[in-house]
Amino acid sequence: MDRRQEILEAAEKSFSLFGYKATTMDQVAKIANVGKGTIYTFFANKEELFNAIVLKMINEMRAEADAVSVEGAPFEQNAHARLMQMLKFRGTHQLYAKLIDEEKELRTPAVGEVLQAIEKEIIFYVKEKIEKGIAKGEVFPCDTELVAYILFKAYLALVSDWGKTHDEELSEERIAALLKGTIFKSLLI
Amino acid sequence: MDRRQEILEAAEKSFSLFGYKATTMDQVAKIANVGKGTIYTFFANKEELFNAIVLKMINEMRAEADAVSVEGAPFEQNAHARLMQMLKFRGTHQLYAKLIDEEKELRTPAVGEVLQAIEKEIIFYVKEKIEKGIAKGEVFPCDTELVAYILFKAYLALVSDWGKTHDEELSEERIAALLKGTIFKSLLI
DNA sequence: AGATGACCGAAAGCGTTTCGTGGTCAATCG
DNA sequence: CGATTGACCACGAAACGCTTTCGGTCATCT
């Protein structure tokens, strides 16, 4: 069996279940049925192993976001579906959710960095889609970096922040209606 | 001399300088030239004293936001000026800035509650202005609560969050241009 | 040569003690 | 006699030192 793969799977399991800090290298070695030293022949240290897992997760997320978009559908519909999917992923995916929790509770630096990197990746993804929309003539030319940023932050606020200060979450319909009437309305040609 | 007033001034000084947790009631009493017990004849406890100070600050902020708006100017201009002013206040005012820092570093519960209350107050203020805009026929009727929320969150993200992940702050012009081209464009009649 | 796990030092955890602080109230004062 | 005070108390948080844990290494053994 591929030892590197075994280690990756073991690490993913452990990070997802216990988070970054509470995962020990001994733990990972045990789950992977591998001597601890072996891990270090494939990964320089704990953080690099962690980064490898997170990279894998980012690709999953990207794939899921692509999966909910419909070829040929209008920009607004696909953009909304993609962002909602990524934010659903954010709150649902075991590892991602665990990391958000760990960042809030423990402030583990490695986790903070990784979360920031994921966010950057999402914004980059959104930016790409906006540029594609502009190229297709569906979207007004604009400051794509900033528009991607504000779109992500808006969705994040509505999907995730709102619930923290109000007793019930916003429905997807209300979110869709608001953005249709504000940001998207002025973005679309 | 008005003892209650003396205490308020002393408390404001101390909270602004040291934050909530690091301000001791002995400290406040000393600055106010008052016995510690006297404080408790005016305020039930430390938290109520704190709330009184914060309430005063909220009114200051409101006043400053009102001050930058121009009677008769278009909705967008006033809304932008008001929100920018409040966010400038947020980052500049000694007490407010100190509290944000304390919340991040110490997680003092009393501070978290107060910050949330201030945010709620700002959003309420924005909501009022939007409703006035609608009444005047300047703004499309809309879900005012949500629009106020998203406007505040958008400005907050651009003014405050952006700098945390990029090496330089956004210029006010770039912020103004972005919002003019997105949210405001679809809000205005 | 590749894998292993005993080993190392740094750092986190933990149980105990000390200290600082919010809040009270009997004594004091005007 | 009512307003003011600061010594006092209870208790939660810091300080301390001792123990354990854990990331990373490397001599040893396939």
Side-chain angles (χ1 to χ4, degrees), chain A residues 11-170:
Chain A
E12 182 174 0
K13 241 178 251 175
S14 187
F15 284 134
S16 294
L17 229 43
F18 310 114
Y20 179 76
K21 199 182 167 200
T23 288
T24 69
M25 293 305 262
D26 282 301
Q27 170 98 272
V28 173
K30 200 169 195 178
I31 299 178
N33 285 313
V34 151
K36 187 163 54 155
T38 308
I39 299 176
Y40 288 86
T41 61
F42 296 105
F43 303 93
N45 51 42
K46 189 182 180 183
E47 202 165 337
E48 284 218 1
L49 174 58
F50 182 50
N51 289 339
I53 302 293
V54 169
L55 209 66
K56 211 177 120 202
M57 187 187 73
I58 291 178
N59 287 329
E60 272 176 56
M61 183 169 58
R62 200 189 211 93
E64 288 193 21
D66 281 334
V68 295
S69 81
V70 179
E71 178 68 29
F75 176 83
E76 177 182 342
Q77 184 190 311
N78 277 342
H80 176 76
R82 284 203 183 96
L83 275 157
M84 287 303 287
Q85 176 57 36
M86 288 195 286
L87 284 157
K88 187 179 166 187
F89 188 95
R90 190 187 119 106
T92 300
H93 188 275
Q94 201 175 14
L95 176 58
Y96 202 159
K98 190 91 204 166
L99 293 182
I100 290 172
D101 192 62
E102 185 167 351
E103 165 67 2
K104 203 176 64 189
E105 303 291 315
L106 286 310
R107 296 278 179 79
T108 324
V111 172
E113 284 161 30
V114 144
L115 284 176
Q116 214 169 290
I118 299 174
E119 204 164 289
K120 196 176 152 195
E121 204 58 44
I122 296 177
I123 291 166
F124 180 73
Y125 176 83
V126 174
K127 188 181 163 195
E128 278 182 335
K129 299 306 171 189
I130 295 173
E131 280 164 1
K132 207 164 276 180
I134 295 174
K136 276 203 210 165
E138 285 187 278
V139 178
F140 277 117
C142 58
D143 189 333
T144 55
E145 176 76 26
L146 265 198
V147 171
Y149 188 75
I150 210 70
L151 254 186
F152 170 66
K153 287 288 187 175
Y155 270 93
L156 187 60
L158 295 170
V159 172
S160 168
D161 294 356
W162 178 275
K164 287 177 203 158
T165 49
H166 299 72
D167 10 59
E168 54 179 321
E169 302 285 341
L170 286 170

Side-chain angles (χ1 to χ4, degrees), chain A residues 166-185:
Chain A
H166 299 72
D167 10 59
E168 54 179 321
E169 302 285 341
L170 286 170
S171 68
E172 182 167 348
E173 293 79 42
R174 208 164 157 210
I175 294 177
L178 173 71
L179 289 164
K180 187 183 203 120
T182 56
I183 301 183
F184 284 124
K185 189 167 152 192

Side-chain angles (χ1 to χ4, degrees), chain B residues 29-113:
Chain B
K30 200 167 195 178
I31 299 177
N33 284 315
V34 149
K36 185 163 60 157
T38 307
I39 299 177
Y40 288 88
T41 64
F42 295 105
F43 302 94
N45 50 46
K46 189 182 181 184
E47 201 165 337
E48 284 217 3
L49 174 59
F50 182 51
N51 289 338
I53 302 292
V54 170
L55 209 65
K56 211 178 121 201
M57 188 188 73
I58 290 178
N59 288 328
E60 270 176 56
M61 182 169 58
R62 200 191 211 92
E64 287 193 21
D66 281 334
V68 295
S69 82
V70 179
E71 178 67 29
F75 177 82
E76 178 182 342
Q77 184 190 312
N78 277 341
H80 176 76
R82 284 202 182 98
L83 275 158
M84 288 302 288
Q85 175 57 36
M86 289 196 284
L87 283 158
K88 186 178 166 188
F89 188 95
R90 191 187 116 106
T92 301
H93 188 275
Q94 202 175 12
L95 176 56
Y96 203 159
K98 191 91 205 164
L99 294 182
I100 290 171
D101 192 60
E102 185 167 351
E103 166 66 2
K104 204 177 61 188
E105 302 293 313
L106 286 308
R107 299 278 180 83
T108 325
V111 172
E113 284 162 32

